[in-house]
């Protein structure tokens, strides 16, 4: 008797539904820390105040709230899968990989940031002004700001958008489509149109890396390096000559060239086709011991 094949449409809708829940968790945790402050501001306004004090407190502590919401999100995800006794390597793509593969994200990050800087410099001035206003909060160089941007955000965003969303989507659809959809959602969650543009590119590259390596550890490290470079650029003084900025861009370009060369084994492996599976009669009896490349689905 032939086994009934799984309904492909059902698999796709199930993967999309789960992805919506994961993104909802990510956004919901952020709102959980902002709603009390916003509620207090509304109460103050109802009582005749302007609400400016609460909004000022919100703006001044926005990175602290972001860090706390990110840590809570990470804790909820890890506890959920540990309670269910799921292997984090499989459920979240937290798999160990060889050193060359581990450093692929970090090797590509300077090049990604260099492309981002060049793209931003080509945008209309009005767009840049709007973007700078929207990004004012993340340029916070306080301890909470640096930890939120460089340490917490890379981990929680890779867990959600690559470890959960891309992981689930890639099981139900071709890898290239799963990467595109997860990158689009990643970009949309950043809000501003300029943010969406480079977050989409970043999400697509990191999605490709995660899918090819089978792990989000390389993308967490790459995301950390990318955000760390952003923090460094945010403290470069603006002068009329722009000498400091030019030096920083020159060093960034040098890193963008040298790091992929130094990690050429890991970066090169991303673009090599996976070994073909052996014929059915030659497959090993132990499950999971042969290579599978979801990118080629």
């Amino acid at each position: 008797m032939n086994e009934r094949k799984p309904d492909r449409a059902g698999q796709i809708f199930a993967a999309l539904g789960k992805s919506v829940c994961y993104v909802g968790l990510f956004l919901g945790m952020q709102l959980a820390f902002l709603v009390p402050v916003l509620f207090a501001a509304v109460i103050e306004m109802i009582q005749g105040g302007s609400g400016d004090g609460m909004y000022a407190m919100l703006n001044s502590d926005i990175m602290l709230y972001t860090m706390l919401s990110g840590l809570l999100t990470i804790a909820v995800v890890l506890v959920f899968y540990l309670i269910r006794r799921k292997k984090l390597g499989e459920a979240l793509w937290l798999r160990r990989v060889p050193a060359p593969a581990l450093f692929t994200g970090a090797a590509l990050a300077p090049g990604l940031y260099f492309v981002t800087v060049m793209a931003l410099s080509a945008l209309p001035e009005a767009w840049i002004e709007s973007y700078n206003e929207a990004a004012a909060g993340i340029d916070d160089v306080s301890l909470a700001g640096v930890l939120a941007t460089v340490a917490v955000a890379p981990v929680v965003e890779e867990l959600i958008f690559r470890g959960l969303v891309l992981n689930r989507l890639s099981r139900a659809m071709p890898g290239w489509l799963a990467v595109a959809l997860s990158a689009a959602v990643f970009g949309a969650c950043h809000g501003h149109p300029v943010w969406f543009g480079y977050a989409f590119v970043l999400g697509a590259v990191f999605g490709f890396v995660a899918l090819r390596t089978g792990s989000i550890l390389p993308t967490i490290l790459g995301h950390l390096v990318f955000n760390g470079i952003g923090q460094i650029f945010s403290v470069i003084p603006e002068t009329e000559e722009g000498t400091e900025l030019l030096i920083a861009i020159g060093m960034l370009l040098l890193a963008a060239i040298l790091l992929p060369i130094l990690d050429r084994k890991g970066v090169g492996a991303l673009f090599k086709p996976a070994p073909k599976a052996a014929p059915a009669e030659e497959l090993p009896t132990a499950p999971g011991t042969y290579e599978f490349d979801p990118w080629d689905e």
Side-chain angles (χ1 to χ4, degrees):
M1 182 176 178
N2 294 331
E3 294 184 2
R4 183 179 178 182
K5 293 183 178 180
D7 180 13
R8 190 60 178 268
Q11 291 179 334
I12 293 174
F13 280 115
L16 290 173
K18 290 180 180 179
S19 299
V20 170
C21 293
Y22 300 141
V23 176
L25 170 67
F26 174 74
L27 297 176
M29 289 299 180
Q30 292 183 323
L31 289 175
F33 284 87
L34 300 181
V35 167
V37 179
L38 295 176
F39 181 75
V42 172
I43 296 298
E44 182 181 340
M45 293 175 65
I46 292 175
Q47 294 176 347
S50 63
D52 292 342
M54 289 296 175
Y55 283 117
M57 185 179 73
L58 175 62
N59 290 330
S60 63
D61 295 331
I62 186 67
M63 296 311 295
L64 175 61
Y65 297 139
T66 301
M67 181 182 69
L68 293 175
S69 67
L71 290 173
L72 182 59
T73 304
I74 294 170
V76 168
V77 171
L78 294 180
V79 169
F80 175 76
Y81 282 100
L82 288 174
I83 289 175
R84 296 184 63 194
R85 298 183 179 180
K86 298 286 187 179
K87 292 183 178 180
L88 298 182
E90 301 304 317
L92 302 172
W93 274 356
L94 284 170
R95 302 183 182 121
R96 293 181 180 180
V97 293
L102 177 63
F103 291 107
T104 51
L108 297 174
L112 288 170
Y113 201 91
F114 179 80
V115 171
T116 300
V117 170
M118 294 298 100
L120 290 176
S121 66
L123 293 178
E125 185 176 350
W127 290 24
I128 295 299
E129 290 179 357
S130 174
Y131 166 73
N132 287 336
E133 291 178 2
I138 67 170
D139 289 337
D140 182 7
V141 291
S142 66
L143 179 60
V146 173
L147 289 176
T149 304
V150 179
V152 177
V155 176
V156 67
E157 290 179 358
E158 293 306 313
L159 274 177
I160 296 296
F161 295 100
R162 257 67 69 185
L164 288 173
V165 174
L166 176 60
N167 187 344
R168 300 311 183 271
L169 292 178
S170 64
R171 299 177 185 180
M173 61 185 68
W176 65 268
L177 181 56
V179 167
L181 286 177
S182 62
V185 174
F186 179 60
C189 287
H190 283 72
H192 194 278
V194 174
W195 253 331
F196 173 85
Y198 76 72
F200 175 83
V201 174
L202 189 71
V205 173
F206 284 165
F208 173 71
V209 171
L211 208 58
R212 293 296 289 179
T213 61
S215 173
I216 63 170
L217 296 181
T219 64
I220 289 175
L221 189 57
H223 204 149
L224 186 152
V225 172
F226 185 93
N227 286 11
I229 295 172
Q231 285 291 300
I232 293 172
F233 267 73
S234 69
V235 298
I236 295 175
E238 295 184 9
T239 61
E240 293 184 3
E241 298 81 6
T243 306
E244 294 84 353
L245 182 59
L246 288 175
I247 292 174
I249 291 176
M251 294 178 65
L252 179 64
L253 178 59
L254 183 63
I257 295 172
L258 290 180
L259 289 183
I261 294 175
L262 293 175
D263 190 38
R264 57 187 176 277
K265 184 176 180 180
V267 174
L270 296 175
F271 303 96
K272 292 180 180 178
K276 297 295 183 182
E281 63 273 10
E282 298 179 17
L283 287 176
T285 55
T289 57
Y290 59 94
E291 297 219 22
F292 170 68
D293 184 8
W295 188 262
D296 294 331
E297 278 191 324

